Amino acid sequence: MQHLVQIKRLPGNEDIQLPQKMSELASGFDLYAAVSEPVTLQPGERGLIPTGFSLAMPGELEAQIRPRSGLALKHGITALNSPGTVDADYRGEVKVLLINHGQEPFVISRNERIAQMVFQYVPTVRLEEVEELSETGRGAGGFGHTGK
Ligand SMILES: O=c1ccn([C@H]2C[C@H](O)[C@@H](COP(=O)(O)OP(=O)(O)OP(=O)(O)O)O2)c(=O)[nH]1
Ligand SMILES: [Mg+2]
């Protein structure tokens, strides 16, 4: 099923590529950096990178901001808050929180592909407070409880 998501270019970003799927069945739309001049992330440094657009999506969707594997593998660049959450009611500029886990400075240029955006369903959930939860075989065991 196809969902219509509105995208608005923010002023001064007419030259920025809109999010784009790089293959027919790609999960994510690649995101392009809307930095006015190149931004250098030193090893260990993080930076909030603008994309130059805002979104309006149906209420049952969210957009996740995920790293690009190639940048992670080659340069140690990832999204610090991965997956970033863009709420359906957010109308601000979508931004990408990148961190340089590599050993070299990494330069982000205007219109460079820095991350990807994957739309997901968000089920409507209502939390119900109770005194007791149903019993299960696992119970409270977790965090390695079942062995290696
Ligand atoms: O990678 C991201 C993560 C978040 N956002 C925007 C959209 C999202 O709807 C909003 C808030 O994100 P989140 O809920 O993760 O952050 P918060 O620290 O809880 O902020 P808030 O109190 O505004 O919800 O920031 C982005 O543009 N990119
Ligand atoms: Mg929040």
Side-chain angles (χ1 to χ4, degrees), residues 88-107:
D89 55 0
Y90 178 71
R91 294 292 177 274
E93 183 174 16
V94 172
K95 295 187 178 172
V96 179
L97 181 53
L98 290 182
I99 184 162
N100 183 357
H101 284 313
Q103 268 131 40
E104 304 292 333
F106 183 76
V107 180

Side-chain angles (χ1 to χ4, degrees), residues 127-143:
L127 291 177
E128 178 194 21
E129 187 178 0
V130 295
E131 293 297 326
E132 296 297 334
L133 299 173
S134 62
E135 286 184 16
T136 69
R138 172 182 285 272
F143 307 96

